Amino acid sequence: MENLTHTIVGLMLARVGLEKTTARGAGMLMLAANIPDIDGVTWFGGALPYIETHRTYTHSLTFLPLIALLPMLLVRAKFSWRSYLASMAAVLSHLLLDWTNFYGIPLALPFSEHRFRLDTITLVDFWIWGILVGALWATALFSRVNREVQPAGNPGTRRGWAWAALLGLLVYESGVWVAHERAIQVMSSRIYEGAPPRRVTALPIGSHPLAWRGVIEGDGFTIIVPVNLTGEYDPGAGRLYRDVPPDSARDAALRTRPFQVLSRFSQLPFWKVTPVAEGLRVELIDLRFGNPEAPGFA
């Protein structure tokens, strides 16, 4: 997820009571909810170092206890087990949110490089913004009303709306996961090119929780098809791409560092080999981020 969502979730965790674990608790929790993205500094070293290192060790459950110490140091929090556990909870919220994206995170590093992903939420989701920002607005509004009625205010207002935001986020995420599983079932129930699909992937489209971009992989082909759960599924609306079998051109490409890096990172790889005047143009595309005509990571 983007960092605005992480920040507000950290603030909501603070307001439900975790900020009381230490002085400057709200600041610590908002930092902790963002701290795994500290590996993003590798962007300044270029695209390849960024792809290799972003969402790796700082997004691992193994290193979570170590990462959770950094926000405490940044706000100069007095160490206690209560504040340490609160910081770990905020770091965990970051990992859970990133787990929902199609980018994926290697939760089991260093034991496994497998990237876990739910493919349910895009990097920016306006419904989630609505839930979180709505809770902030409601907190401000009701706190002002309470102060006019009761000058001392009502601390329960902040806590109540924070709980409402976190529960609303959980309900929304659960509903989208159900829709995602339904989209997978719909695509998996069909025959493509005379055979059942080898693998089916449903990727979120913007903030439409019932619309998905389907990627269907079979023997020698890939189909990208829109899936909208509000209507009938039409496999014929998709576009078929023929896979390029392994050959000497692909082997030559894989001996270079850019292809090695992207092949390790890619979860939905698609190869293109195009004749050009100088020989062959070899492309490796990650279909999570685009299609063969308009690739994202390639």
Side-chain angles (χ1 to χ4, degrees), residues 168-191:
L169 179 60
L170 178 61
V171 169
Y172 173 72
E173 296 269 12
S174 300
V176 173
W177 179 81
V178 171
H180 175 266
E181 293 305 298
R182 177 57 183 161
I184 293 290
Q185 292 173 3
V186 167
M187 289 186 288
S188 299
S189 65
R190 300 299 185 96
I191 298 296

Side-chain angles (χ1 to χ4, degrees), residues 124-135:
V124 177
D125 190 293
F126 295 106
W127 291 102
I128 291 178
W129 278 7
I131 293 169
L132 297 176
V133 174

Side-chain angles (χ1 to χ4, degrees), residues 55-101:
R55 290 197 181 186
T56 53
Y57 288 97
T58 60
H59 289 68
S60 165
L61 289 173
T62 306
F63 289 88
L64 185 154
L66 181 62
I67 296 297
L69 290 172
L70 186 54
M72 301 179 69
L73 294 173
L74 290 174
V75 300
R76 299 178 183 177
K78 182 179 180 181
F79 182 86
S80 71
W81 285 109
R82 292 177 68 241
S83 60
Y84 182 43
L85 290 173
S87 182
M88 285 200 292
V91 175
L92 181 61
S93 75
H94 185 111
L95 303 190
L96 291 175
L97 285 169
D98 282 359
W99 177 39
T100 66
N101 301 152

